[in-house]
Amino acid sequence: MLGTDNDHWFDDAAGRLIRPYTVSNGRTEPTLRMELLSMVIATGRRPPGQLGPEHAQALGLCGTVTTVAEVAARLRLPAVVTKILLSDLVDWGVVDTRSPNPMADSSNPAVLETILNALQRRL
């Protein structure tokens, strides 16, 4: 059945109970370009109005510098949907983003292994 409060919309047997296109309001493109290794962090500003649950959860994950890939993994959402949520948060001024370190080549096996290990420690 349903897990913890963080997994409110996730069922172990059925998977995600809210479809990704619903989370993104049918949008398929973020408003700004982000890589999986782009860094995101909350600005400390208040959002304009009430955030939906996915936006609020994404913002909560940005309390410390983290990558788009980590946020996607923690939200259990496809990367493109996570990028849409994060780009909304950037547009509202509540999250800042920066490009990944040029040395962080996403095709480099050592970089991928480092990301995988970090994700496994957090989950």
Side-chain angles (χ1 to χ4, degrees):
M1 291 299 147
L2 291 178
T4 65
D5 287 342
N6 291 339
D7 296 330
H8 182 73
W9 295 109
F10 190 84
D11 182 270
D12 291 334
R16 190 159 188 85
L17 299 176
I18 301 293
R19 297 291 175 231
Y21 61 83
T22 304
V23 172
S24 66
N25 291 323
R27 295 175 291 156
T28 59
E29 298 278 331
T31 58
L32 75 120
R33 181 169 155 68
M34 282 184 264
E35 304 295 327
L36 286 176
L37 297 178
S38 292
M39 307 303 285
V40 292
I41 188 165
T43 63
R45 295 186 190 118
R46 294 181 53 91
Q50 186 72 16
L51 294 178
E54 291 83 11
H55 283 98
Q57 194 174 15
L59 179 58
L61 294 171
C62 296
T64 59
V65 176
T66 189
T67 64
V68 172
E70 288 180 64
V71 174
R74 299 291 299 256
L75 292 177
R76 296 182 179 169
L77 284 171
V80 69
V81 174
T82 302
K83 289 177 183 181
I84 292 168
L85 292 174
L86 291 171
S87 68
D88 289 345
L89 295 172
V90 170
D91 291 346
W92 298 331
V94 298
V95 168
D96 278 333
T97 184
R98 64 181 167 153
S99 297
N101 181 334
M103 297 301 292
D105 175 12
S106 63
S107 64
N108 180 332
V111 171
L112 295 173
E113 185 174 348
T114 300
I115 292 169
L116 177 62
N117 290 336
L119 290 173
Q120 288 174 336
R121 281 192 305 272
R122 289 181 184 230
L123 297 177

